[in-house]
Amino acid sequence: MMARQRTQERVWGQTVRLKQGLVVLVCGLGLSACSQLGGHTDPAAAPGTGLIKSPIPQGVAHTAQSLDQASAGERAAAMATSTGGTKLGTTVASLGDPTQAGFWLKTSLVKTQTKGRVTLSNGKSVQVMLLPAEDGASQLSLSALRMLDVSLTDLPTLTVYAL
């Protein structure tokens, strides 16, 4: 009887260790699959490795001025005063993708890309390319926000005109 009980305990201990090993194996495989599903990637990875490099270098402090890639000519063209146009309405906009250069507004007020102008209630105005918003939220480019002297964390109310 005693030998039989020891054999059962040994088998039970081996079964428990086997189950623990399987849990560790499954967790390890699950974590390794995360990289295949678009998880974090190494921004310093070499081209051709299948990993995506970040357009903004990591580990370096950035200012809005350093990320704004608009040239002096583009700024002058955006600030050129224009009046008239067709008023499309008003929208509240947030900062759009800071890596997407240019003067643009993504908004649900347009269905196709068109030239336009946005103004603030204080009268400041900038010419932008109006782009249809995919999700209904309005987003203004970094360059346009800077030209309007709006804080990057503000949510300005803009009057939108098609030119």
Side-chain angles (χ1 to χ4, degrees), residues 45-124:
T49 61
L51 299 178
I52 301 169
K53 291 183 113 180
S54 172
I56 300 174
Q58 301 297 315
V60 179
H62 295 282
T63 64
Q65 183 177 1
S66 70
L67 291 174
D68 187 355
Q69 300 173 2
S71 68
E74 290 171 321
R75 284 188 182 90
M79 290 305 291
T81 56
S82 67
T83 56
T86 305
K87 181 178 177 181
L88 301 177
T90 60
T91 188
V92 176
S94 64
L95 172 64
D97 181 357
T99 63
Q100 187 176 350
F103 292 85
W104 48 266
L105 172 70
K106 291 182 181 178
T107 179
S108 59
L109 295 174
V110 295
K111 301 294 181 215
T112 59
Q113 179 175 321
T114 186
K115 290 183 180 184
R117 173 174 55 94
V118 295
T119 61
L120 294 171
S121 60
N122 65 8
K124 288 190 177 187

